[in-house]
Amino acid sequence: MDFNMKKLASDAGIFFTRAVQFTEEKFGQAEKTELDAHFENLLARADSTKNWTEKILRQTEVLLQPNPRPRWQFLANSARVEEFLYEKLDRKVPSRVTNGELLAQYMSEAANELGPETPYGKTLIKVGETEKRLGTAERDFIHSASINFLTPLRNFLEGDWRTISKERRILQNRRLDLDACKARLKKAKAAEAKAAAEQELRVAQTEFDRQAEVTRLLLEGISSTHVNHLRCLQEFVESQATYYAQCYRHMLDLQKQLGRFPGTFVGNTEPSASPLSSASLATAAATIPVVPTVAGIPSTGEAALSLDDVAPPASGTRKARVLYDYEAADSSELALLADELITVYSLPGMDPDWLIGERGNRKGKVPVTYLELLS
């Protein structure tokens, strides 16, 4: 009991001494041991890393799970609590329905009630199927970004940074003790008091130097943190690029399917250009040689395109590399596999977003957006 009381009294005395030293420093009444410029730069770099990591983490969470209203913020916090509980229970967090998947569900139910065989019902079903694919792609992206990007950022803030902060607080206390010892030595008059003060100063200096070295090593480790976060950032970009590429392909396929639906766009008597086409793609397609008109060949706007008797130009055909897999919608189109090389050319009057592609003894229409035209 006496030991505990003495320890409490000692701790209280140390705390009081540090408080006095800190206050006198603030009022310019006491000297303060300054850290060297390199150490100060390390501290500033660490603080910047921590602050920007927090901002990037929060904004990435908003990007992955937008919460425009306070209620959604509450739901997001609840979701994080749920994830924490499942983690502690060593159980897998149940997958949540994405906004796209929920929209797909509503569209499917609406089609069933309004008539799945009507033009509107058929279109709802097709759009709903695509929204479900988009929702699945979004789920995969969120999962990948959470594991490969958000988790390492959180681990730094909740692990390494807490350790750094703890050691910095200890260093601050060691510095206050050191400067308090320096002040006592200056005030000491008697030889015995000076000797005791010098001994205390030597101990305080040793403890300060040791803690400064520990803290410096931790601060220098921020460079390794940057390297790790750089790798995580690259993985985040990879997963985001994959997600957007999947969304682009799904929407291209949907747009093509809707274009074949009779009565999908009632009142639109003039065909409009594809909103996903670009002037650069059209220009590139226009440079591809055009095959002379062959009698009996129907125009490319018809449902089927007979290409058996069409021969490519004698010269000037171009090679193209396939960027993404493409599933042929009918016999007039050519299915594609990513990274394969095909020969392409154009027919008179063709939609600039489409070309004729050949692979071996097979030929058919191919979308320009799925190709990289080679010189």
Side-chain angles (χ1 to χ4, degrees):
M1 186 71 175
D2 292 340
F3 173 78
N4 291 335
M5 292 297 295
K6 289 180 180 179
K7 187 175 184 306
L8 288 174
S10 174
D11 292 343
I14 292 174
F15 176 80
F16 178 75
T17 301
R18 291 171 180 168
V20 170
Q21 177 66 28
F22 182 80
T23 302
E24 290 180 348
E25 288 175 0
K26 288 297 183 183
F27 285 99
Q29 300 172 354
E31 295 183 4
K32 175 181 177 182
T33 298
E34 300 292 343
L35 301 169
D36 60 74
H38 174 65
F39 204 106
E40 292 289 354
N41 288 335
L42 289 176
L43 289 172
R45 188 162 173 258
D47 287 335
S48 295
T49 300
K50 180 257 187 182
N51 292 335
W52 284 112
T53 299
E54 285 181 333
K55 290 181 180 179
I56 291 172
L57 174 63
R58 286 197 298 267
Q59 193 58 37
T60 305
E61 289 176 332
V62 171
L63 173 69
L64 299 179
Q65 294 181 337
N67 305 312
R69 292 182 293 178
R71 179 175 181 270
W72 289 112
Q73 183 65 49
F74 169 77
L75 293 176
N77 293 334
S78 300
R80 280 191 278 272
V81 171
E82 181 185 6
E83 291 174 358
F84 174 78
L85 292 176
Y86 273 98
E87 180 181 348
K88 290 301 181 183
L89 295 173
D90 195 22
R91 294 176 58 186
K92 183 179 179 181
V93 180
S95 58
R96 299 184 182 86
V97 176
T98 63
N99 292 329
E101 290 171 323
L102 186 59
L103 177 59
Q105 178 182 334
Y106 290 164
M107 287 184 171
S108 176
E109 292 174 356
N112 289 333
E113 184 170 333
L114 300 176
E117 298 303 322
T118 64
Y120 181 44
K122 289 181 179 179
T123 304
L124 277 172
I125 292 173
K126 285 297 180 183
V127 176
E129 290 172 351
T130 299
E131 292 297 334
K132 185 175 182 180
R133 295 189 188 100
L134 294 176
T136 301
E138 180 187 11
R139 181 200 304 278
D140 294 340
F141 167 55
I142 292 175
H143 178 74
S144 175
S146 177
I147 295 223
N148 298 324
F149 189 58
L150 293 182
T151 297
L153 297 187
R154 289 196 192 101
N155 288 343
F156 165 71
L157 294 173
E158 297 172 3
D160 294 350
W161 182 253
R162 287 187 179 180
T163 301
I164 291 173
S165 299
K166 175 185 175 183
E167 297 301 328
R168 285 176 66 174
R169 288 193 297 270
I170 295 175
L171 178 63
Q172 171 75 345
N173 290 334
R174 295 288 181 265
R175 187 197 61 74
L176 290 171
D177 293 342
L178 174 63
D179 290 335
C181 289
K182 290 179 180 179
R184 281 196 296 270
L185 179 59
K186 284 185 177 181
K187 295 176 182 178
K189 301 299 182 181
E192 184 177 341
K194 284 186 177 180
E198 288 174 350
Q199 177 61 26
E200 289 180 355
L201 179 59
R202 283 192 292 270
V203 173
Q205 185 71 59
T206 300
E207 292 180 347
F208 172 78
D209 292 341
R210 184 186 301 115
Q211 185 59 35
E213 181 65 15
V214 170
T215 308
R216 181 183 64 80
L217 291 174
L218 288 172
L219 293 173
E220 289 178 344
I222 291 292
S223 296
S224 299
T225 297
H226 288 184
V227 172
N228 182 43
H229 288 182
L230 171 62
R231 183 172 58 252
C232 297
L233 185 61
Q234 290 171 332
E235 292 178 354
F236 173 71
V237 171
E238 289 281 343
S239 61
Q240 193 171 31
T242 300
Y243 168 57
Y244 286 137
Q246 289 174 335
C247 293
Y248 179 65
R249 293 199 298 271
H250 292 326
M251 294 310 297
L252 276 182
D253 292 341
L254 174 63
Q255 190 180 42
K256 181 178 61 178
Q257 293 176 45
L258 293 185
R260 293 199 300 267
F261 274 21
T264 300
F265 302 109
V266 179
N268 189 4
T269 57
E270 295 185 3
S272 60
S274 168
L276 294 177
S277 62
S278 65
S280 60
L281 289 173
T283 303
T287 63
I288 296 178
V290 178
V291 178
T293 305
V294 178
I297 302 297
S299 67
T300 56
E302 297 180 15
L305 182 65
S306 176
L307 299 171
D308 295 339
D309 298 328
V310 176
S315 61
T317 57
R318 295 184 65 174
K319 291 290 186 182
R321 184 175 70 86
V322 178
L323 298 176
Y324 319 108
D325 292 346
Y326 177 74
E327 182 180 351
D330 53 48
S331 59
S332 71
E333 297 181 0
L334 181 66
L336 303 174
L337 295 176
D339 293 327
E340 69 173 336
L341 292 177
I342 63 173
T343 301
V344 293
Y345 49 91
S346 179
L347 286 174
M350 279 192 71
D351 186 331
D353 291 338
W354 292 83
L355 296 170
I356 303 301
E358 285 192 4
R359 180 182 60 242
N361 60 353
R362 297 182 62 84
K363 67 178 68 175
K365 294 190 300 180
V366 293
V368 177
T369 50
Y370 279 66
L371 305 175
E372 177 188 0
L373 300 177
L374 307 175
S375 57

